[in-house]
Amino acid sequence: MPANFPRMAFPNESPAYREARNALLDAEIALRRQTESVAEMRRNLPPGGEVPEDFEFERIGANHRPEKVRLSQLFGEFPSIMLYSFMFGPERDSPCPGCTHLLDGIDGSAEHVAQRAPFYVVSRSPIARLEALAHERGWDHLVMLSTAGNSYSDHYYGNTSALTPAMREHRGFKNGENWDEPMLNVFRKDGDTVSHFWGSELVFAPDEPGQNHRAMDFADPVWGLLDTIPEGRGATFFPKLSYA
């Protein structure tokens, strides 16, 4: 239980409000502790599986022209990298609004995050298409990578093709019908060996009643802010690509 400490009080609040708010604060403190406990468990994971190949991506280079780059080259001087699978494959006329609003928020953080570990956005669309969208959205700090021509998404759940038959049956997915998914994967490099460290498997875990998977809420300011208002997230609200 949280230790006793002096509590705040706002003008004209009732005793009933303060009692309820104090109880909520205790719960928030417990959640803060649980959040750190989960983060510690994540940091202490043993090494994951070595990547099956040194995947080749395409990006826009320093000369503003497309260039090939291997997974092992994405680390630079850092031991860890993050790759976010963006739902904007070549079969889509427009990007996923859920991924897009998330990346709108992450773009502002990416410059700071990159001081500790590189963050990349990967998608099966050609790099020119990805760069055009980044320019349209004003993403100045996100580094886009095209997975067109490689099997990265098939191995690391950037689409549903890697799901086992049991997973497909549990989720109600038909065989032969596949689509991209919003998967975040972390990789580590030790010498010449690149291994998987963590993936946002909560994407594919059963949803709570009345909720979506919420697998990336820890990095999503939209949902975090809406959780603070009486109306909450709303039963029908979902971010759009643009608003009137």
Side-chain angles (χ1 to χ4, degrees):
M1 293 294 293
N4 291 327
F5 59 92
R7 305 296 177 109
M8 301 170 67
F10 293 98
N12 300 318
E13 66 181 21
S14 68
Y17 174 88
R18 180 42 46 192
E19 181 180 3
R21 182 63 186 95
N22 285 347
L24 174 59
L25 180 57
D26 288 343
E28 290 169 341
I29 292 171
L31 178 60
R32 181 178 66 186
R33 290 174 176 169
Q34 177 67 8
T35 299
E36 175 53 30
S37 177
V38 170
E40 184 177 10
M41 291 176 65
R42 186 183 299 115
R43 292 192 296 268
N44 290 332
L45 282 170
E50 185 175 344
V51 296
E53 61 181 282
D54 196 6
F55 300 103
E56 184 178 74
F57 303 90
E58 191 170 45
R59 68 180 176 188
I60 297 299
N63 62 356
H64 304 292
R65 294 185 177 183
E67 65 178 18
K68 303 294 185 180
V69 60
R70 295 284 182 180
L71 178 66
S72 60
Q73 297 174 307
L74 296 176
F75 291 82
E77 62 184 16
F78 296 96
S80 301
I81 58 173
M82 295 167 277
L83 271 64
Y84 177 74
S85 292
F86 178 30
M87 297 172 67
F88 189 36
E91 73 284 354
R92 289 180 177 267
D93 294 330
S94 57
C96 165
C99 289
T100 303
H101 93 266
L102 174 65
L103 293 176
D104 284 342
I106 292 179
D107 179 66
S109 306
E111 184 178 20
H112 307 288
V113 171
Q115 306 309 306
R116 293 278 292 160
F119 179 91
Y120 299 96
V121 179
V122 301
S123 176
R124 292 181 298 108
S125 280
I127 190 61
R129 191 180 192 221
L130 298 177
E131 285 293 321
L133 178 69
H135 178 75
E136 175 187 329
R137 301 297 302 186
W139 294 341
D140 295 327
H141 305 297
L142 294 178
V143 180
M144 315 298 287
L145 299 175
S146 173
T147 64
N150 76 25
S151 59
Y152 170 82
S153 294
D154 300 328
H155 284 90
Y156 291 102
Y157 297 91
N159 59 45
T160 57
S161 65
L163 299 183
T164 65
M167 293 176 69
R168 299 185 74 90
E169 181 179 2
H170 185 267
R171 300 291 288 184
F173 297 162
K174 295 180 181 179
N175 290 329
E177 294 184 5
N178 291 300
W179 51 88
D180 39 19
E181 287 285 356
M183 193 74 173
L184 176 65
N185 284 292
V186 177
F187 296 89
R188 294 276 291 179
K189 186 178 181 183
D190 183 10
D192 294 329
T193 301
V194 177
S195 300
H196 186 254
F197 175 73
W198 176 86
S200 54
E201 297 179 31
L202 199 58
V203 168
F204 296 103
D207 300 338
E208 297 295 330
Q211 298 180 4
N212 57 25
H213 51 68
R214 302 194 176 194
M216 289 291 295
D217 277 19
F218 62 87
D220 194 326
V222 172
W223 300 129
L225 288 171
L226 291 180
D227 279 344
T228 69
I229 63 174
E231 300 83 3
R233 304 183 181 205
T236 60
F237 171 75
F238 196 79
K240 298 179 181 180
L241 295 177
S242 63
Y243 302 93

